[in-house]
Amino acid sequence: MKEIYRFYLQIPLAGMLLRSLIVKPLATTGFIIGLVSFSTPTLAQNLKVDSREVTSYAQAVLAMEPARQQAFEEIKKVIGSKEVPKIVCNDPNSINALPSKARNIAVNYCNQSQQIVSSQGLSIDRFNQITIELTNNEALKKQVYNTLLMLQKNPPSR
């Protein structure tokens, strides 16, 4: 992995573009998996996810990313020098632990994310099931990753 990373560091402009196409989907997926959840996690056991759901999931993740970044930056400004805590949309304790202004930002982000997921044709429960399955299923993780790359290279027309 280090050799691949070093290789991309050596290519100036083309490398930066390629790095962003590779790193952004991974970071986005990892962040979504690790930070935001809408319902209580359940143990995933070889969940069957069809290609339409993979595409919908990837589109939702990409659509949520700008709002997530904005919410994160706004919460960071409110909190100041402290580390931004883990925020779980369905966990009132994680949201209530935030200062009032940051809490409002988190609630708005969670509501917006739910709308994005629904607009992509997935229920919140199904989105969460896929998110959990990604932690255990390398084939699904690779499929989502490849779909994220494809969508970033060729965004769907609206």
Side-chain angles (χ1 to χ4, degrees):
M1 183 71 177
K2 265 188 174 170
E3 285 79 24
I4 293 171
Y5 184 69
R6 277 193 217 135
F7 172 74
Y8 290 127
L9 285 177
Q10 293 173 354
I11 303 172
L13 187 56
M16 288 172 51
L17 176 61
L18 190 53
R19 248 192 342 251
S20 71
L21 288 173
I22 291 172
V23 172
K24 187 175 178 181
L26 285 177
T28 301
T29 302
F31 193 83
I32 295 295
I33 290 169
L35 179 69
V36 179
S37 176
F38 297 109
S39 65
T40 305
T42 57
L43 294 175
Q45 297 177 345
N46 297 326
L47 185 69
K48 301 294 180 208
V49 182
D50 64 38
S51 61
R52 181 199 59 80
E53 290 177 311
V54 168
T55 300
S56 294
Y57 182 89
Q59 287 172 327
V61 167
L62 288 175
M64 281 189 273
E65 181 59 13
R68 184 205 60 81
Q69 288 178 358
Q70 182 179 358
F72 182 83
E73 289 302 318
E74 289 176 17
I75 290 171
K76 200 160 92 173
K77 285 178 188 172
V78 169
I79 291 177
S81 62
K82 298 180 198 172
E83 185 177 323
V84 176
K86 181 177 180 180
I87 300 167
V88 181
C89 289
N90 74 315
D91 179 5
N93 293 328
S94 75
I95 293 177
N96 290 335
L98 296 169
S100 179
K101 190 173 181 183
R103 188 177 319 129
N104 291 338
I105 295 166
V107 168
N108 287 338
Y109 169 73
C110 290
N111 290 336
Q112 187 177 6
S113 295
Q114 288 178 328
Q115 291 173 349
I116 290 169
V117 168
S118 295
S119 75
Q120 294 303 324
L122 293 172
S123 70
I124 298 304
D125 287 340
R126 187 62 175 167
F127 181 88
N128 289 336
Q129 289 170 348
I130 294 169
T131 300
I132 293 165
E133 182 67 16
L134 283 170
T135 63
N136 304 314
N137 185 328
E138 288 300 317
L140 179 60
K141 193 181 295 184
K142 186 174 184 175
Q143 189 178 5
V144 168
Y145 171 77
N146 288 335
T147 303
L148 285 165
L149 283 176
M150 187 238 353
L151 289 171
Q152 285 187 314
K153 289 178 185 176
N154 305 306
S157 56
R158 296 190 181 207

